[in-house]
Amino acid sequence: VPVMVSGKTSITRIVTTSWDDGDSCDLRIAEMLAARQLAGTFYVPVKGHVFEPHRACLMSLKELRQLSAQGFEIGAHGVSHHNLPACNDKRLIAEVDGSKKRMEDDLGKSVSMFAYPRGRHNGRVIACLKQAGFAGGRTTAMLARALNFDPFRMPTSVHVYPHSRFEYFKNLARVWDVRRTKAYATHFGLAKNWVELAKILFDSILQTGGLWHLYGHSWEIEELDLWDELKAVLDYVSNRPGVVNLANGP
């Protein structure tokens, strides 16, 4: 949001990143971020993916504490990466409240942010997050740049993954933001790949202000060998004058 400072217009430009599932490859992500003075929030399920087969390999408590000690924000991602809207009330409280308490006990510090497993959430889940004391919840909605969003429906800008145009439109349809959909259909959708899309979205916040939010899964990046592409994007957005680098949380 533009504000007047000493007679000049100042535009807020924010870069944030987030990384889900707590895989050991998160340590490599952390090294890449630290080398570029970028912030990151790492969302870690307490017990990993208990209710579904998954390729993520949960990091050790020692590794988790190492990330925290480096100054990165640690967020909750449920106890067992369960589909939260499908949980009964007792299970939902155990997943949400239980993850917050366990993470705080393990880290010895407050955990204020939560990422919904697979982005799935509803009003009942949000109410549970608020009751547990979380300050916000991150979704998997993409192509967002605006600063004015519901903190319990925090969107992202781009996912480190080679999505098709159809997949982007499908993602947009879940939240049905007309302005965001129109921007993708007329401009951002011209990007040839996720790297080009990430750069175009970043350029747009340089021009008009906003929040650029990169998210991904380190195990997925490893599996698809996207490390060089990620490096190119991080290099592109780092060390930019007038850009503030922040974690997801308040």
Side-chain angles (χ1 to χ4, degrees), residues 208-250:
T208 60
L211 173 67
W212 184 87
H213 187 156
L214 180 72
Y215 95 100
H217 310 81
S218 63
W219 61 267
E220 202 168 55
I221 295 167
E222 174 69 16
E223 184 176 80
L224 299 176
D225 193 21
L226 301 176
W227 293 108
D228 286 344
E229 293 181 8
L230 175 60
K231 179 180 181 297
V233 170
L234 296 181
D235 284 343
Y236 190 80
V237 305
S238 63
N239 300 309
R240 295 291 195 120
V243 175
V244 181
N245 298 296
L246 300 174
N248 289 184

Side-chain angles (χ1 to χ4, degrees), residues 46-54 79-82 95:
V46 174
K47 295 182 179 178
H49 296 72
V50 176
F51 291 95
E52 57 183 316
H54 213 279
V79 172
S80 54
H81 204 268
H82 209 292
E95 286 286 330

Side-chain angles (χ1 to χ4, degrees), residues 16-231:
T16 192
T17 74
S18 57
W19 312 93
D20 296 359
D21 296 344
D23 190 90
S24 291
C25 286
D26 282 0
L27 298 176
R28 182 171 179 181
I29 297 281
E31 289 180 4
M32 295 174 75
L33 295 176
R36 295 163 179 80
Q37 297 181 308
L38 294 171
T41 299
F42 292 84
Y43 293 104
V44 182
V46 174
K47 295 182 179 178
H49 296 72
V50 176
F51 291 95
E52 57 183 316
H54 213 279
R55 289 159 296 211
C57 181
L58 193 64
M59 72 177 76
S60 67
L61 179 56
K62 180 180 179 181
E63 290 172 326
L64 178 63
R65 287 173 173 166
Q66 179 182 332
L67 273 182
S68 180
Q70 286 179 268
F72 291 106
E73 180 182 36
I74 307 298
H77 201 32
V79 172
S80 54
H81 204 268
H82 209 292
N83 176 8
L84 298 182
C87 293
N88 60 33
D89 290 346
K90 182 178 179 181
R91 180 76 241 174
L92 178 60
I93 292 171
E95 286 286 330
V96 172
D97 195 61
S99 65
K100 190 177 197 298
K101 290 178 178 176
R102 175 63 180 273
M103 297 295 284
E104 290 180 340
D105 286 345
D106 284 346
L107 297 172
K109 62 174 64 174
S110 176
V111 172
S112 64
M113 292 297 294
F114 188 97
Y116 306 106
R118 294 187 177 274
R120 293 171 183 166
H121 64 287
N122 56 22
R124 188 170 65 99
V125 173
I126 290 174
C128 190
L129 259 68
K130 292 179 178 179
Q131 182 65 33
F134 283 103
R138 203 221 66 208
T139 72
T140 55
M142 295 185 285
L143 303 170
R145 295 164 293 146
L147 290 165
N148 57 333
F149 55 83
D150 180 342
F152 287 90
R153 291 185 174 87
M154 185 181 198
T156 70
S157 303
V158 65
H159 179 196
V160 183
Y161 189 87
H163 289 292
S164 66
R165 280 176 58 85
F166 173 77
E167 288 171 324
Y168 283 116
F169 277 118
K170 185 178 178 181
N171 182 275
L172 286 165
R174 295 193 189 104
V175 293
W176 194 241
D177 183 314
V178 175
R179 291 180 62 185
R180 208 185 305 174
T181 302
K182 183 179 180 181
Y184 180 71
T186 60
H187 181 53
F188 301 127
L190 300 177
K192 297 177 182 178
N193 51 54
W194 82 267
V195 172
E196 190 171 309
L197 176 63
K199 291 180 178 180
I200 292 173
L201 287 167
F202 178 75
D203 289 344
S204 74
I205 74 150
L206 287 183
Q207 295 173 6
T208 60
L211 173 67
W212 184 87
H213 187 156
L214 180 72
Y215 95 100
H217 310 81
S218 63
W219 61 267
E220 202 168 55
I221 295 167
E222 174 69 16
E223 184 176 80
L224 299 176
D225 193 21
L226 301 176
W227 293 108
D228 286 344
E229 293 181 8
L230 175 60
K231 179 180 181 297

